[in-house]
Amino acid sequence: MGTAARLVPPAPLLLVDGFNLLWRGHFGFPSPVFSLDKSRNLTGLFAFFALLRASIRDDLDVGPVEVCVVLDGERGSADRKDADAGYKANREETPAALEPLQFLAPMREALDGYGIAWVEIDDAEADDVIATLTRAHTDRPVRIMSADQDYYQLLDGERVRIINRSRKASKRIITDAEVVDRYGVTPAQWPDYRALTGDVSDNIPGVKGVGAKTAAALLAGGITLDSLRDSGRLSGAKGEAIVRQWADVLRWRQLSRMRHDVATGWQPTGLPSPTLPKPADVVEKLGLW
């Protein structure tokens, strides 16, 4: 029996982009959730656990899964901002925009209380941690829960897929085939593509006049920026614009590329995570109603 138990494959990993889910829950939940005395807005906390629980129940094409919630470190984007002062400079930092931060402590407490792993590395962004874990555990299917398109670069056949809860139910699982069909580039080319077209969410401007179709045509055949400049494809006004901004383009690609070398300090158990209770029960256990 012991031998048979050792032959059971480890559970697939569900890596959750925690801030992405928390922010989308707080600002996008169908209706606000307040404490019983109406004095506290609990929407972000309630929505985080409601959406996570629903996605585990309804959206996965593998399972049962081992869940790990990954959070951005306080200094996670420092290196990228040092390389380019404009990186994420468009993010609002008003009190209203930062409201979800109030839920971090109770969220961590609840995850601990229900046996759900979470990782937060002070000097790493969540996407770098998720990329590292995805590459470190190639023996396991991985599902990444996020609406951030940067994760497209990690897509890998049946092994690595993305769950975007903001899409309609039949379209929530994103595959590498969808990226190729929709954008005309492979996941490996995604940072090159973004360097040319830009990325509004990260305040990467891209090359003016170079849109999605032009970028896909330039990268056709699977080439990357490393061979694009000598490919003979950079002709005309758009090609000249790319050449003029070549140093910027290479820097923007580096900003878009995820690291795979973060010391995460977390080792999966290989076992499925406990089932999350209803979000109302989570809030009740925290004593916040």
Side-chain angles (χ1 to χ4, degrees):
M1 183 172 179
T3 301
R6 288 196 294 272
L7 294 177
V8 175
L13 284 173
L14 174 61
L15 304 176
V16 181
D17 185 345
F19 276 28
N20 186 276
L21 182 58
L22 180 60
W23 257 254
R24 286 183 173 271
H26 183 74
F27 294 111
F29 209 56
S31 57
V33 179
F34 290 93
S35 59
L36 295 179
D37 63 2
K38 306 299 182 183
S39 65
R40 296 186 305 280
N41 185 338
L42 301 173
T43 305
L45 182 67
F46 186 98
F48 177 89
F49 286 100
L51 295 172
L52 178 56
R53 184 174 186 265
S55 202
I56 293 171
R57 183 190 64 216
D58 301 333
D59 299 332
L60 290 170
D61 58 340
V62 293
V65 294
E66 181 173 4
V67 181
C68 182
V69 175
V70 183
L71 303 172
D72 290 304
E74 186 174 350
R75 298 184 298 112
S77 60
D79 287 345
R80 287 183 172 94
K81 288 181 177 179
D82 286 343
D84 190 318
Y87 180 70
K88 292 187 176 180
N90 57 338
R91 302 284 178 95
E92 286 189 42
E93 295 190 356
T94 62
L98 297 177
E99 276 183 0
L101 289 175
Q102 67 182 298
F103 302 119
L104 285 178
M107 184 180 79
R108 295 187 194 103
E109 181 183 345
L111 291 171
D112 285 339
Y114 289 107
I116 304 296
W118 58 273
V119 173
E120 182 178 6
I121 308 300
D122 180 63
D123 60 351
E125 294 190 69
D127 52 5
D128 295 321
V129 176
I130 287 175
T132 298
L133 292 172
T134 298
R135 179 166 289 186
H137 300 284
T138 56
D139 59 328
R140 305 172 69 170
V142 175
R143 298 297 177 261
I144 299 167
M145 187 177 179
S146 181
D148 188 342
Q149 291 184 333
D150 284 344
Y151 290 105
Y152 287 2
Q153 63 193 273
L154 302 179
L155 290 165
D156 182 12
E158 293 185 2
R159 191 182 81 83
V160 183
R161 294 180 172 179
I162 294 167
I163 297 172
N164 184 346
R165 183 77 191 177
S166 66
R167 305 199 334 174
K168 65 180 183 179
S170 62
K171 300 289 185 180
R172 284 177 184 158
I173 294 181
I174 301 169
T175 66
D176 50 3
E178 178 183 334
V179 171
V180 173
D181 290 344
R182 184 172 181 180
Y183 299 98
V185 295
T186 65
Q189 293 174 294
W190 190 255
D192 304 78
Y193 175 80
R194 278 305 202 200
L196 294 170
T197 64
D199 183 352
V200 174
S201 65
D202 286 341
N203 203 38
I204 295 174
V207 180
K208 187 175 181 179
V210 176
K213 290 184 178 180
T214 298
L218 291 172
L219 299 173
I223 75 169
T224 64
L225 295 180
D226 301 308
S227 52
L228 177 61
R229 191 166 187 178
D230 298 323
S231 67
R233 298 181 182 185
L234 296 179
S235 59
K238 293 180 180 179
E240 291 174 2
I242 293 172
V243 172
R244 282 197 306 271
Q245 291 188 265
W246 191 249
D248 293 327
V249 170
L250 294 180
R251 186 175 69 255
W252 295 332
R253 178 176 67 171
Q254 193 60 30
L255 293 177
S256 297
R257 277 178 168 169
M258 293 180 178
R259 293 172 51 196
H260 299 85
D261 60 352
V262 179
T264 67
W266 178 68
Q267 286 296 324
T269 65
L271 302 174
S273 297
T275 302
L276 278 171
K278 295 178 180 179
D281 294 337
V282 175
V283 177
E284 177 70 27
K285 185 174 181 178
L286 293 169
L288 295 177
W289 280 130

